[in-house]
Coordinates of all heavy atoms in Angstrom, one line a residue:
M1 N -61.3 -101.4 126.6 CA -61.4 -100.9 125.3 C -60.0 -100.9 124.6 O -59.0 -100.4 125.2 CB -62.0 -99.5 125.3 CG -62.1 -98.9 124.0 SD -63.1 -97.5 124.0 CE -62.3 -96.4 123.0
V2 N -59.9 -101.5 123.5 CA -58.6 -101.6 122.8 C -58.5 -100.3 121.9 O -59.4 -100.0 121.1 CB -58.5 -102.9 121.9 CG1 -57.3 -102.9 121.1 CG2 -58.8 -104.0 122.8
M3 N -57.4 -99.6 122.0 CA -57.2 -98.5 121.3 C -56.3 -98.9 120.1 O -55.3 -99.7 120.2 CB -56.3 -97.5 122.1 CG -57.1 -97.0 123.3 SD -58.7 -96.2 122.9 CE -58.0 -94.6 122.2
T4 N -56.7 -98.4 118.9 CA -55.9 -98.6 117.7 C -55.5 -97.2 117.1 O -56.2 -96.3 117.2 CB -56.7 -99.4 116.6 OG1 -57.8 -98.8 116.4 CG2 -57.0 -100.8 117.2
T5 N -54.5 -97.3 116.3 CA -54.0 -96.1 115.6 C -54.8 -95.9 114.3 O -55.4 -96.8 113.8 CB -52.5 -96.1 115.3 OG1 -52.3 -97.1 114.4 CG2 -51.7 -96.4 116.5
H6 N -54.7 -94.7 113.7 CA -55.3 -94.4 112.5 C -54.7 -95.3 111.4 O -55.5 -95.9 110.6 CB -55.1 -92.9 112.1 CG -55.7 -92.6 110.8 ND1 -55.0 -92.5 109.6 CD2 -57.0 -92.2 110.5 CE1 -55.8 -92.2 108.7 NE2 -57.0 -92.0 109.1
E7 N -53.5 -95.5 111.4 CA -52.9 -96.5 110.4 C -53.3 -97.9 110.5 O -53.6 -98.6 109.5 CB -51.3 -96.3 110.6 CG -50.7 -95.1 110.1 CD -50.8 -94.0 111.2 OE1 -51.0 -94.3 112.4 OE2 -50.7 -92.7 110.8
E8 N -53.5 -98.4 111.7 CA -54.0 -99.6 111.9 C -55.5 -99.8 111.4 O -55.9 -100.8 110.8 CB -54.0 -100.1 113.4 CG -52.6 -100.3 114.0 CD -52.6 -100.5 115.5 OE1 -53.4 -99.8 116.1 OE2 -51.6 -101.2 115.9
K9 N -56.3 -98.8 111.7 CA -57.7 -98.8 111.2 C -57.7 -98.7 109.7 O -58.5 -99.4 109.0 CB -58.5 -97.6 111.8 CG -58.8 -97.9 113.3 CD -60.0 -97.1 113.6 CE -60.5 -97.4 115.0 NZ -61.3 -98.6 115.1
M10 N -56.8 -98.0 109.1 CA -56.8 -97.8 107.6 C -56.5 -99.1 106.9 O -56.8 -99.3 105.8 CB -56.0 -96.6 107.2 CG -56.5 -95.3 107.5 SD -58.2 -95.0 107.0 CE -58.0 -95.1 105.3
R11 N -55.7 -99.9 107.6 CA -55.3 -101.2 107.0 C -56.5 -102.1 106.9 O -56.5 -103.2 106.2 CB -54.2 -101.9 107.8 CG -52.9 -101.3 107.5 CD -51.8 -102.1 108.0 NE -51.7 -102.1 109.5 CZ -50.9 -101.4 110.2 NH1 -50.2 -100.5 109.6 NH2 -50.9 -101.3 111.5
T12 N -57.6 -101.8 107.6 CA -58.8 -102.7 107.6 C -59.8 -102.2 106.5 O -60.9 -102.9 106.3 CB -59.5 -102.8 109.0 OG1 -60.1 -101.5 109.2 CG2 -58.6 -103.1 110.1
V13 N -59.5 -101.2 105.9 CA -60.4 -100.6 104.8 C -60.3 -101.4 103.5 O -59.3 -101.9 103.1 CB -60.0 -99.1 104.5 CG1 -60.9 -98.6 103.3 CG2 -60.3 -98.2 105.7
R14 N -61.5 -101.9 103.1 CA -61.5 -102.6 101.8 C -62.3 -101.8 100.7 O -63.3 -101.2 101.0 CB -62.3 -103.9 102.0 CG -61.6 -104.7 103.1 CD -60.3 -105.3 102.7 NE -59.7 -106.2 103.8 CZ -58.7 -105.7 104.6 NH1 -58.1 -104.5 104.4 NH2 -58.3 -106.4 105.5
F15 N -61.8 -101.9 99.5 CA -62.4 -101.2 98.3 C -62.8 -102.4 97.3 O -62.0 -103.2 97.0 CB -61.5 -100.3 97.7 CG -61.0 -99.1 98.6 CD1 -59.8 -99.2 99.3 CD2 -61.9 -97.9 98.6 CE1 -59.4 -98.1 100.0 CE2 -61.4 -96.9 99.5 CZ -60.3 -97.1 100.1
R16 N -64.1 -102.3 96.9 CA -64.5 -103.1 95.8 C -64.9 -102.1 94.7 O -65.8 -101.4 94.8 CB -65.7 -104.0 96.2 CG -66.2 -104.9 95.1 CD -67.0 -106.0 95.6 NE -67.3 -106.9 94.4 CZ -68.5 -107.2 94.1 NH1 -69.6 -106.8 94.8 NH2 -68.7 -108.0 93.0
V17 N -64.1 -102.1 93.6 CA -64.2 -101.1 92.6 C -65.3 -101.5 91.6 O -65.2 -102.6 91.0 CB -62.9 -100.9 92.0 CG1 -62.9 -99.8 90.9 CG2 -61.9 -100.5 93.0
A18 N -66.1 -100.6 91.4 CA -67.2 -100.8 90.3 C -66.6 -100.5 88.9 O -65.6 -99.7 88.8 CB -68.4 -99.9 90.5
A19 N -67.2 -101.1 87.9 CA -66.7 -100.8 86.5 C -66.9 -99.3 86.1 O -66.1 -98.8 85.4 CB -67.4 -101.8 85.5
T20 N -68.0 -98.7 86.6 CA -68.3 -97.3 86.2 C -67.9 -96.5 87.5 O -68.3 -96.8 88.7 CB -69.6 -97.2 85.8 OG1 -70.6 -97.6 86.9 CG2 -70.0 -97.8 84.5
P21 N -67.3 -95.3 87.2 CA -67.0 -94.4 88.4 C -68.2 -93.8 89.0 O -69.2 -93.5 88.3 CB -66.1 -93.4 87.7 CG -66.4 -93.4 86.3 CD -66.9 -94.7 85.9
H22 N -68.2 -93.7 90.3 CA -69.3 -93.0 91.0 C -69.0 -91.4 91.1 O -69.9 -90.6 91.5 CB -69.5 -93.6 92.4 CG -68.4 -93.4 93.4 ND1 -67.2 -94.1 93.2 CD2 -68.2 -92.5 94.4 CE1 -66.4 -93.7 94.2 NE2 -67.0 -92.8 94.8
I23 N -67.8 -91.0 90.7 CA -67.5 -89.6 90.7 C -66.8 -89.4 89.3 O -66.0 -90.1 88.9 CB -66.4 -89.2 91.8 CG1 -67.0 -89.4 93.1 CG2 -66.0 -87.8 91.5 CD1 -66.0 -89.1 94.3
V24 N -67.4 -88.3 88.6 CA -66.9 -88.0 87.3 C -66.5 -86.5 87.4 O -67.3 -85.7 87.8 CB -67.9 -88.2 86.2 CG1 -67.3 -87.7 84.8 CG2 -68.3 -89.6 86.1
V25 N -65.3 -86.2 87.0 CA -64.7 -84.8 87.1 C -64.7 -84.2 85.6 O -64.1 -84.9 84.7 CB -63.3 -84.7 87.7 CG1 -62.8 -83.3 87.6 CG2 -63.3 -85.3 89.1
N26 N -65.4 -83.1 85.3 CA -65.3 -82.5 84.1 C -64.1 -81.6 84.0 O -64.2 -80.5 84.6 CB -66.6 -81.7 83.8 CG -66.8 -81.1 82.5 OD1 -65.6 -80.7 81.8 ND2 -67.9 -80.9 82.0
S27 N -63.0 -82.1 83.5 CA -61.8 -81.3 83.5 C -61.9 -80.0 82.7 O -61.2 -79.1 83.0 CB -60.6 -82.2 82.9 OG -60.1 -83.0 84.0
E28 N -62.8 -80.0 81.7 CA -62.9 -78.7 80.9 C -63.4 -77.6 81.8 O -63.0 -76.5 81.8 CB -63.8 -79.0 79.7 CG -63.9 -77.7 78.8 CD -62.5 -77.4 78.3 OE1 -61.6 -78.1 78.0 OE2 -62.3 -76.1 78.3
I29 N -64.4 -77.9 82.6 CA -64.9 -76.9 83.6 C -63.8 -76.4 84.5 O -63.5 -75.3 84.9 CB -66.1 -77.3 84.3 CG1 -67.3 -77.5 83.3 CG2 -66.6 -76.4 85.4 CD1 -68.6 -78.2 83.9
C30 N -63.1 -77.4 85.0 CA -61.9 -77.1 86.0 C -60.9 -76.3 85.3 O -60.4 -75.3 85.9 CB -61.2 -78.4 86.4 SG -62.3 -79.6 87.4
R31 N -60.6 -76.7 84.0 CA -59.6 -75.8 83.3 C -60.0 -74.4 83.0 O -59.2 -73.5 83.1 CB -59.3 -76.7 82.0 CG -58.1 -76.2 81.2 CD -57.9 -77.1 80.0 NE -57.6 -78.5 80.4 CZ -58.4 -79.5 80.1 NH1 -59.6 -79.2 79.7 NH2 -58.1 -80.7 80.6
S32 N -61.3 -74.3 82.5 CA -61.6 -73.0 82.0 C -62.3 -72.1 83.1 O -62.3 -70.9 82.9 CB -62.6 -73.2 80.9 OG -63.8 -73.8 81.3
E33 N -63.0 -72.7 84.2 CA -63.7 -71.8 85.1 C -63.3 -71.9 86.5 O -63.8 -71.1 87.3 CB -65.2 -72.3 84.9 CG -65.8 -72.2 83.6 CD -67.2 -72.5 83.6 OE1 -67.9 -72.5 84.5 OE2 -67.6 -73.1 82.4
C34 N -62.4 -72.7 86.9 CA -62.0 -72.9 88.3 C -60.6 -72.5 88.5 O -59.6 -73.0 87.9 CB -62.2 -74.3 88.8 SG -61.9 -74.6 90.5
S35 N -60.4 -71.6 89.5 CA -59.1 -71.2 89.8 C -58.6 -71.7 91.2 O -57.4 -71.5 91.6 CB -58.9 -69.7 89.7 OG -59.9 -69.1 90.7
V36 N -59.5 -72.2 91.9 CA -59.3 -72.7 93.3 C -58.9 -74.1 93.4 O -58.0 -74.5 94.2 CB -60.5 -72.4 94.1 CG1 -60.3 -72.9 95.6 CG2 -60.9 -70.9 94.1
H37 N -59.5 -75.0 92.7 CA -59.3 -76.5 92.7 C -59.4 -77.0 94.2 O -58.5 -77.6 94.7 CB -58.0 -76.8 92.1 CG -57.9 -76.5 90.7 ND1 -56.9 -75.9 90.0 CD2 -58.8 -76.8 89.6 CE1 -57.1 -75.9 88.7 NE2 -58.3 -76.4 88.5
A38 N -60.5 -76.6 94.9 CA -60.6 -77.0 96.3 C -60.6 -78.5 96.4 O -60.2 -79.0 97.5 CB -62.0 -76.3 96.8
C39 N -61.1 -79.2 95.5 CA -61.2 -80.6 95.6 C -59.8 -81.3 95.9 O -59.7 -82.3 96.6 CB -61.7 -81.3 94.3 SG -60.8 -80.9 92.7
V40 N -58.7 -80.7 95.4 CA -57.4 -81.1 95.5 C -57.0 -81.2 97.0 O -56.3 -82.0 97.5 CB -56.4 -80.4 94.7 CG1 -54.9 -80.7 95.0 CG2 -56.6 -80.5 93.2
Y41 N -57.4 -80.0 97.6 CA -57.0 -79.9 99.1 C -57.9 -80.5 100.1 O -57.5 -80.8 101.2 CB -56.9 -78.4 99.4 CG -56.0 -77.7 98.3 CD1 -56.5 -77.0 97.2 CD2 -54.7 -77.8 98.5 CE1 -55.7 -76.4 96.3 CE2 -53.7 -77.3 97.5 CZ -54.3 -76.5 96.5 OH -53.4 -76.1 95.5
V42 N -59.2 -80.8 99.8 CA -60.1 -81.2 100.8 C -60.3 -82.8 100.8 O -60.8 -83.3 101.8 CB -61.5 -80.6 100.7 CG1 -61.4 -79.1 100.8 CG2 -62.2 -81.0 99.3
C43 N -59.9 -83.4 99.7 CA -60.1 -84.9 99.6 C -59.2 -85.6 100.7 O -58.0 -85.5 100.6 CB -59.7 -85.4 98.2 SG -59.8 -87.2 98.1
P44 N -59.8 -86.3 101.6 CA -59.1 -87.0 102.6 C -58.2 -88.2 102.0 O -57.1 -88.6 102.7 CB -60.0 -87.5 103.7 CG -61.3 -87.6 102.9 CD -61.2 -86.6 101.8
A45 N -58.5 -88.7 100.8 CA -57.8 -89.7 100.2 C -56.8 -89.2 99.2 O -56.1 -90.0 98.6 CB -58.7 -90.8 99.6
N46 N -56.6 -87.9 99.0 CA -55.7 -87.3 98.1 C -55.8 -87.9 96.7 O -54.8 -88.2 96.1 CB -54.3 -87.4 98.6 CG -54.1 -86.7 99.9 OD1 -54.5 -85.5 100.1 ND2 -53.4 -87.4 100.8
L47 N -57.0 -88.0 96.2 CA -57.2 -88.6 94.9 C -57.4 -87.6 93.7 O -57.5 -88.0 92.6 CB -58.6 -89.3 94.9 CG -58.6 -90.5 96.0 CD1 -59.9 -91.2 95.9 CD2 -57.5 -91.5 95.8
F48 N -57.3 -86.3 94.0 CA -57.3 -85.2 93.0 C -55.9 -84.7 92.7 O -55.3 -84.3 93.7 CB -58.3 -84.2 93.3 CG -59.7 -84.6 93.4 CD1 -60.2 -85.2 94.5 CD2 -60.6 -84.4 92.3 CE1 -61.6 -85.5 94.6 CE2 -61.9 -84.7 92.4 CZ -62.4 -85.3 93.5
V49 N -55.5 -84.7 91.5 CA -54.2 -84.1 91.1 C -54.4 -83.1 90.1 O -55.0 -83.2 89.0 CB -53.4 -85.3 90.5 CG1 -51.9 -84.8 90.1 CG2 -53.1 -86.4 91.5
P50 N -53.8 -81.9 90.4 CA -54.0 -80.8 89.4 C -53.0 -81.0 88.2 O -51.9 -81.5 88.5 CB -53.6 -79.5 90.2 CG -52.7 -80.1 91.4 CD -53.3 -81.4 91.7
L51 N -53.4 -80.7 87.0 CA -52.6 -80.9 85.9 C -51.9 -79.6 85.5 O -52.6 -78.5 85.8 CB -53.4 -81.5 84.7 CG -54.0 -82.9 85.1 CD1 -54.9 -83.3 83.9 CD2 -53.0 -83.9 85.3
D52 N -51.0 -79.5 84.7 CA -50.4 -78.3 84.3 C -51.2 -77.4 83.3 O -51.1 -76.2 83.4 CB -49.0 -78.6 83.5 CG -47.9 -79.2 84.4 OD1 -48.0 -79.0 85.6 OD2 -47.0 -79.8 83.8
D53 N -52.2 -78.1 82.7 CA -53.1 -77.3 81.8 C -54.3 -76.8 82.5 O -55.2 -76.2 81.9 CB -53.5 -78.2 80.6 CG -54.4 -79.3 81.1 OD1 -54.6 -79.6 82.2 OD2 -54.9 -80.0 80.1
G54 N -54.4 -76.9 83.9 CA -55.5 -76.5 84.7 C -56.6 -77.5 85.1 O -57.5 -77.2 85.7
G55 N -56.4 -78.7 84.3 CA -57.5 -79.6 84.5 C -57.1 -80.4 85.8 O -56.2 -80.2 86.5
I56 N -57.9 -81.5 86.0 CA -57.9 -82.3 87.3 C -57.8 -83.8 86.8 O -58.7 -84.1 86.1 CB -59.0 -82.1 88.3 CG1 -59.0 -80.6 88.8 CG2 -59.0 -83.0 89.4 CD1 -57.9 -80.3 89.7
L57 N -56.8 -84.5 87.4 CA -56.8 -86.0 87.2 C -57.4 -86.5 88.5 O -57.0 -86.1 89.6 CB -55.4 -86.4 87.0 CG -55.3 -87.9 86.8 CD1 -55.9 -88.4 85.6 CD2 -53.7 -88.2 86.9
F58 N -58.4 -87.5 88.3 CA -59.0 -88.1 89.5 C -59.0 -89.6 89.3 O -59.3 -90.2 88.2 CB -60.5 -87.6 89.6 CG -61.2 -88.2 90.6 CD1 -61.0 -87.9 92.0 CD2 -62.3 -89.2 90.3 CE1 -61.7 -88.6 93.0 CE2 -62.9 -89.8 91.4 CZ -62.6 -89.6 92.7
N59 N -58.7 -90.3 90.4 CA -58.8 -91.7 90.6 C -59.8 -92.1 91.6 O -59.6 -91.9 92.8 CB -57.4 -92.2 90.9 CG -57.2 -93.6 91.0 OD1 -58.3 -94.4 90.8 ND2 -56.1 -94.1 91.3
Y60 N -60.9 -92.8 91.2 CA -62.0 -93.1 92.2 C -61.8 -94.4 92.8 O -62.6 -94.7 93.8 CB -63.3 -93.0 91.4 CG -63.6 -94.2 90.4 CD1 -64.3 -95.4 90.8 CD2 -63.0 -94.3 89.2 CE1 -64.5 -96.4 90.1 CE2 -63.3 -95.4 88.4 CZ -64.0 -96.4 88.8 OH -64.2 -97.6 88.0
E61 N -60.8 -95.2 92.4 CA -60.7 -96.6 93.0 C -60.4 -96.5 94.6 O -60.7 -97.6 95.2 CB -59.6 -97.2 92.3 CG -60.0 -97.7 90.9 CD -59.6 -96.8 89.9 OE1 -59.1 -95.6 90.1 OE2 -59.9 -97.0 88.7
Q62 N -59.8 -95.5 95.1 CA -59.7 -95.6 96.5 C -60.4 -94.5 97.3 O -60.1 -94.0 98.4 CB -58.1 -95.2 96.8 CG -57.2 -96.2 96.2 CD -57.0 -97.5 96.9 OE1 -57.0 -97.5 98.1 NE2 -57.2 -98.7 96.3
C63 N -61.6 -94.2 96.7 CA -62.4 -93.1 97.2 C -63.1 -93.6 98.6 O -63.6 -94.7 98.7 CB -63.4 -92.7 96.3 SG -64.6 -91.3 96.8
F64 N -63.1 -92.6 99.5 CA -63.9 -93.0 100.8 C -65.4 -92.7 100.7 O -66.1 -92.9 101.7 CB -63.3 -92.1 101.9 CG -61.9 -92.5 102.3 CD1 -61.1 -91.5 102.8 CD2 -61.4 -93.7 102.2 CE1 -59.7 -91.9 103.2 CE2 -60.1 -94.1 102.6 CZ -59.3 -93.1 103.1
E65 N -65.9 -92.1 99.7 CA -67.2 -91.8 99.4 C -67.8 -90.8 100.4 O -69.0 -90.8 100.8 CB -68.1 -93.1 99.5 CG -67.7 -94.2 98.5 CD -68.3 -95.5 98.7 OE1 -69.4 -95.6 99.4 OE2 -67.7 -96.5 98.3
C66 N -67.0 -89.9 100.8 CA -67.4 -88.9 101.9 C -68.2 -87.8 101.2 O -69.0 -87.0 101.9 CB -66.3 -88.4 102.6 SG -65.1 -87.4 101.7
G67 N -68.0 -87.5 100.0 CA -68.7 -86.4 99.3 C -68.1 -85.0 99.5 O -68.7 -84.0 99.0
T68 N -66.9 -84.9 100.1 CA -66.3 -83.6 100.4 C -65.9 -82.9 99.1 O -66.2 -81.6 99.1 CB -65.0 -83.9 101.4 OG1 -65.4 -84.5 102.5 CG2 -64.4 -82.5 101.7
C69 N -65.4 -83.7 98.2 CA -65.0 -83.0 96.9 C -66.2 -82.2 96.3 O -66.2 -81.2 95.8 CB -64.4 -84.0 96.0 SG -65.6 -85.3 95.5
Y70 N -67.4 -82.9 96.3 CA -68.6 -82.4 95.8 C -69.1 -81.2 96.5 O -69.5 -80.1 95.8 CB -69.6 -83.5 95.7 CG -71.0 -83.1 95.1 CD1 -71.1 -83.0 93.7 CD2 -72.1 -82.8 95.9 CE1 -72.3 -82.6 93.1 CE2 -73.3 -82.5 95.2 CZ -73.4 -82.4 94.0 OH -74.6 -82.0 93.3
I71 N -69.1 -81.2 97.8 CA -69.5 -80.1 98.5 C -68.6 -78.9 98.5 O -69.0 -77.8 98.3 CB -69.6 -80.5 100.1 CG1 -70.7 -81.5 100.3 CG2 -69.8 -79.3 100.9 CD1 -70.6 -82.2 101.5
A72 N -67.2 -79.2 98.4 CA -66.2 -78.0 98.2 C -66.0 -77.5 96.8 O -65.6 -76.3 96.7 CB -64.8 -78.5 98.7
C73 N -66.5 -78.2 95.8 CA -66.3 -77.7 94.4 C -67.1 -76.4 94.3 O -68.4 -76.4 94.6 CB -66.8 -78.8 93.5 SG -66.6 -78.2 91.7
N74 N -66.5 -75.4 93.8 CA -67.1 -74.1 93.6 C -67.6 -73.8 92.2 O -68.2 -72.8 91.8 CB -66.3 -72.9 94.1 CG -65.0 -72.8 93.1 OD1 -64.6 -73.8 92.4 ND2 -64.4 -71.7 93.2
Q75 N -67.5 -74.8 91.4 CA -68.0 -74.7 89.9 C -69.1 -75.8 89.7 O -68.9 -76.9 89.6 CB -66.9 -74.8 88.9 CG -65.8 -73.9 89.1 CD -66.3 -72.4 88.8 OE1 -67.2 -72.2 88.0 NE2 -65.8 -71.5 89.6
E76 N -70.3 -75.3 89.5 CA -71.5 -76.2 89.4 C -71.3 -77.0 88.1 O -70.9 -76.5 87.1 CB -72.8 -75.4 89.2 CG -73.9 -76.3 89.1 CD -75.3 -75.5 89.2 OE1 -75.3 -74.5 89.9 OE2 -76.2 -76.0 88.4
G77 N -71.4 -78.3 88.2 CA -71.1 -79.2 87.1 C -69.8 -79.9 86.8 O -69.6 -80.7 86.1
A78 N -68.8 -79.3 87.6 CA -67.4 -79.8 87.5 C -67.3 -81.2 88.1 O -66.5 -82.0 87.6 CB -66.4 -78.9 88.2
I79 N -68.0 -81.5 89.1 CA -68.0 -82.8 89.8 C -69.4 -83.4 89.8 O -70.3 -82.7 90.4 CB -67.3 -82.8 91.1 CG1 -65.9 -82.3 91.1 CG2 -67.5 -84.1 91.9 CD1 -65.3 -82.3 92.4
R80 N -69.5 -84.6 89.2 CA -70.8 -85.3 89.3 C -70.6 -86.4 90.3 O -69.6 -87.3 90.1 CB -71.1 -85.8 87.9 CG -72.7 -86.4 87.9 CD -73.1 -86.8 86.6 NE -72.5 -88.0 86.3 CZ -71.8 -88.3 85.2 NH1 -71.6 -87.5 84.3 NH2 -71.3 -89.6 85.0
W81 N -71.3 -86.6 91.4 CA -71.0 -87.5 92.5 C -72.3 -88.3 92.8 O -73.4 -87.7 92.9 CB -70.6 -86.8 93.7 CG -70.1 -87.6 94.8 CD1 -68.8 -87.9 95.0 CD2 -70.9 -88.2 95.9 NE1 -68.7 -88.7 96.2 CE2 -70.0 -89.0 96.7 CE3 -72.2 -88.3 96.2 CZ2 -70.3 -89.7 97.7 CZ3 -72.6 -89.0 97.2 CH2 -71.7 -89.7 98.0
S82 N -72.1 -89.6 93.0 CA -73.3 -90.4 93.5 C -72.7 -91.6 94.2 O -71.4 -91.9 94.0 CB -74.2 -91.0 92.3 OG -73.3 -91.8 91.4
Y83 N -73.5 -92.3 94.9 CA -72.9 -93.4 95.6 C -72.7 -94.6 94.6 O -73.3 -94.7 93.6 CB -74.0 -94.0 96.6 CG -74.1 -93.1 97.9 CD1 -75.1 -92.2 98.1 CD2 -73.0 -93.1 98.9 CE1 -75.2 -91.4 99.3 CE2 -73.0 -92.4 100.0 CZ -74.1 -91.4 100.2 OH -74.1 -90.7 101.3
P84 N -71.7 -95.4 94.9 CA -71.5 -96.5 93.9 C -72.6 -97.5 93.9 O -73.5 -97.5 94.9 CB -70.2 -97.2 94.5 CG -69.6 -96.2 95.5 CD -70.8 -95.4 95.9
D85 N -72.7 -98.3 92.9 CA -73.6 -99.4 92.8 C -73.6 -100.3 94.0 O -72.5 -100.5 94.7 CB -73.5 -100.2 91.5 CG -73.7 -99.4 90.3 OD1 -74.4 -98.4 90.3 OD2 -73.1 -99.8 89.2
G86 N -74.7 -100.9 94.4 CA -74.7 -101.8 95.6 C -73.6 -102.8 95.5 O -73.5 -103.4 94.5
G87 N -73.0 -103.0 96.7 CA -71.9 -104.1 96.7 C -70.6 -103.6 96.4 O -69.6 -104.3 96.5
Y88 N -70.5 -102.3 95.8 CA -69.3 -101.7 95.5 C -68.9 -100.6 96.3 O -69.7 -100.0 97.1 CB -69.3 -101.2 94.0 CG -69.4 -102.4 93.1 CD1 -70.6 -102.8 92.6 CD2 -68.2 -103.1 92.7 CE1 -70.6 -103.9 91.8 CE2 -68.3 -104.2 91.8 CZ -69.6 -104.5 91.3 OH -69.6 -105.7 90.6
G89 N -67.7 -100.2 96.3 CA -67.2 -99.0 97.1 C -66.4 -99.3 98.2 O -65.7 -100.5 98.3
V90 N -66.4 -98.5 99.2 CA -65.5 -98.7 100.4 C -66.3 -99.5 101.5 O -67.4 -99.2 101.7 CB -65.0 -97.3 100.9 CG1 -66.0 -96.5 101.4 CG2 -63.9 -97.5 102.0
T91 N -65.5 -100.3 102.3 CA -66.0 -100.9 103.5 C -65.0 -100.6 104.6 O -63.9 -101.0 104.4 CB -66.2 -102.4 103.2 OG1 -67.1 -102.6 102.2 CG2 -66.7 -103.1 104.6
F92 N -65.6 -100.0 105.8 CA -64.7 -99.8 106.8 C -64.9 -101.0 107.8 O -66.1 -101.2 108.3 CB -65.1 -98.5 107.6 CG -64.7 -97.3 106.6 CD1 -65.7 -96.8 105.9 CD2 -63.4 -96.8 106.6 CE1 -65.4 -95.7 105.0 CE2 -63.2 -95.8 105.8 CZ -64.1 -95.2 105.0
R93 N -64.0 -101.7 108.2 CA -64.1 -102.9 109.1 C -63.6 -102.4 110.5 O -62.6 -101.9 110.6 CB -63.4 -104.1 108.6 CG -63.9 -104.5 107.3 CD -63.2 -105.7 106.7 NE -63.3 -106.0 105.3 CZ -64.4 -106.8 105.0 NH1 -65.2 -107.3 105.8 NH2 -64.5 -107.0 103.6
E94 N -64.2 -103.0 111.5 CA -63.7 -102.9 112.9 C -62.5 -103.8 113.0 O -62.6 -104.9 112.7 CB -64.8 -103.1 113.9 CG -65.9 -102.1 114.0 CD -65.3 -100.7 114.4 OE1 -64.5 -100.7 115.3 OE2 -65.8 -99.7 113.8
S95 N -61.5 -103.3 113.7 CA -60.3 -104.1 113.9 C -60.4 -104.8 115.3 O -61.2 -104.5 116.1 CB -59.0 -103.3 113.7 OG -59.0 -102.3 114.5

């Protein structure tokens, strides 16, 4: 069995970005109702960035599609999550 490092495996990840995002963040809810911003801390790809005004900046292009942000979000409606359209999203390849 060949052992590979995490970094080696991550180099095999491919993203095919859809024109429409599969995750939409409602920054107004984040800004007005959320004080925790759990999505910033739980996202394994570090795609959530807190803004000075309390909102959240999100970039879906490198998303692993794990749904952790959706599960951790404590404000209903702040994150709308669905799988990307067929043929788009992340592909994990064996090295």
Side-chain angles (χ1 to χ4, degrees):
M1 180 167 138
V2 176
M3 299 298 289
T4 57
T5 66
H6 180 263
E7 290 78 20
E8 289 170 331
K9 285 203 179 278
M10 290 309 297
R11 282 194 289 268
T12 68
V13 174
R14 304 290 180 255
F15 296 95
R16 183 161 182 236
V17 180
T20 56
H22 64 285
I23 297 176
V24 177
V25 177
N26 184 328
S27 279
E28 186 54 42
I29 292 175
C30 297
R31 189 178 299 108
S32 64
E33 299 178 29
C34 183
S35 61
V36 178
H37 294 136
C39 57
V40 173
Y41 304 103
V42 300
C43 177
N46 296 315
L47 300 179
F48 292 84
V49 177
L51 301 174
D52 290 339
D53 68 355
I56 296 289
L57 178 66
F58 174 70
N59 181 0
Y60 73 98
E61 286 89 357
Q62 299 283 313
C63 179
F64 293 148
E65 302 166 26
C66 65
T68 303
C69 60
Y70 182 74
I71 293 168
C73 180
N74 65 340
Q75 298 299 324
E76 187 174 324
I79 294 178
R80 191 176 76 232
W81 190 95
S82 63
Y83 285 106
D85 294 334
Y88 292 94
V90 65
T91 302
F92 297 96
R93 301 180 190 273
E94 289 296 322
S95 51

